[in-house]
Amino acid sequence: MTQDKILCDIGFIGLGVMGKNLVLNLADNGFNIAAFDLCDEKIKGVIEQDKTENTTEIPRVYGCSSYTELLSQLKTPHLIILSVPAGAPVDQVCENLIGAGIQPDDIVIDTGNSLWVDTVAREKKYKTNFLLFSSAVSGGEVGARFGPSLMPSGSPYAWARIKPIWEAIAAKVDPNTGKPLERTKPGEIITTGEPCAAYIGPAGSGHYVKMVHNGIEYADMQIICEAYHILNAGLGFSADEIADIFEQWNNGLLDSYLMDITVEVLRHKSVDTGTSLVYLILDKAGQKGTGLWTAVSSLELGCPTPTITQAVYARSISSFKELRTQASTLLTGPQPVALTNQEKQVQIEQLHDAIYCAKMCAYAQGFQLMKLAAKEHGWTLDFASIAKIWRAGCIIRATFLQSIAHAYDRNSDLENLLLDSFFAEELSERQLNWRKAVCNATMLGIPHGALSSALSYYDSMRSEVLPANLLQGQRDFFGAHTFERVDKADGKKYHVQWSSTERETIVIE
Ligand code: 6PG
């Protein structure tokens, strides 16, 4: 083998499900890879898979048994991609690369779900050793293999080198329809369409945007799960019948990847029992933390994301299975109501609109959060571009993202999606059905925190007056926290001696 053949374009560390598929995607797009993992079996696995999928004579993936060997197999300056779990493993790999002799002009790309502040700290920490660049990846294993959505951020110098690679491996979209250009077979590549990879901004901003993507993902999933629960436990439809309803919805306004896979999950039968597998899956939701981080960030920034946060709570409450089982024997709900088929059909239509409206609010919350975070951290985020790179490849991909991109194309400075004419009209037209669906779920005794928190968000956002006037009075009563007055344009703070009959309000500043 000649020296030229040995030197690879990219070093890849971490060959789990995402890593292995990203390696094969890179290989399909003409990049040869030096691959390393702490587990030898994973290295063998990716080489074997590459052998079966590679249509050329020349191997595209070279296995390395150490960090030093990995660096020696690469063209310089080195370009290394990490796909390792967020947190300590990222630092561990960075330290090992330093030990193996990585150079200051080498680039290391972290593609995991790192907490964005960790990315900011790492860029600073390692800047004398190498250039840390972050690029969040969404799309699960299929996305990684055939085209993910990529959210790169960090040094523009590093981005110039990474851009052609990222644009090659990313999912592609037909810019006119906003629909993904499907790539499903090994060896297949797509060179047309808009790539779902766009530079987000300075270090950490890409991981922040991915974190919010996941927050929206939590909300989107929870909204669909509540609809399933209402249809199943509330209205008595089977998993197969609900799959039929969702499939129909997936051909219209609610078209999305998450709706699509939900249909497949609902139709799946257990090999052991022949019944719908969904009935056999334990109702305790897991979570790796990105939804929680989104909720925490929204609370810290004072930006309401009740539907996203509610989706995190829904997972938490699901984990209290034993407690819920105990409470279910003690606490009563409404008496079951016998509904006619026609009444059920009406409720199904109302539920459809409720999902659509709640989804619009969840996205509005996520995008407003990114806007406030950008202001706080001095990032210039291009929201139309973010919506565009989420149209394909990622978990929340949906044609709906095209409407969000259009809203930000109309006004790049839009404060909140609810103020865009398209979203305002869609919500206004369907809000009555949304309310009815929330009432129906309440009367059926089925929890629907995401659907109703979104409605409450909508009602709060459209209320010129909220009861915070009374709240300010309460705060002033017990803590002299002061309040402003609507009848005075002086912007001054007032305090009342609540127990005194002598004085009413006093200006304290
Ligand atoms: C993606 C997913 C991905 C992963 C989540 C799941 O965009 O590809 O969001 O990041 O599946 O980490 O998160 P939970 O385990 O918290 O549901």
Side-chain angles (χ1 to χ4, degrees), residues 110-124:
D110 174 17
T111 65
N113 266 338
S114 292
L115 180 57
W116 74 276
V117 282
D118 290 351
T119 304
V120 175
R122 275 187 197 116
E123 198 203 39
K124 283 202 188 89

Side-chain angles (χ1 to χ4, degrees), residues 25 33 54 83 112 117 141 157 219 233 248 265 273 286 299 319 350 379 407 413 448 481:
N25 185 356
I33 313 291
N54 187 357
S83 180
V117 282
E141 60 182 298
Y157 161 80
Q248 204 185 334
V265 172
T273 61
L299 287 165
S319 70
Q350 291 163 345
W379 305 327
D413 216 20
H448 52 283
H481 294 301

Side-chain angles (χ1 to χ4, degrees), residues 113 137-140 210 213-214 217-218 287-289 315 395:
N113 266 338
V137 175
S138 177
K210 172 65 183 2
H213 163 284
N214 280 27
E217 173 186 302
Y218 273 51
Q287 50 182 318
K288 293 206 192 82
R315 291 195 190 194
I395 302 297

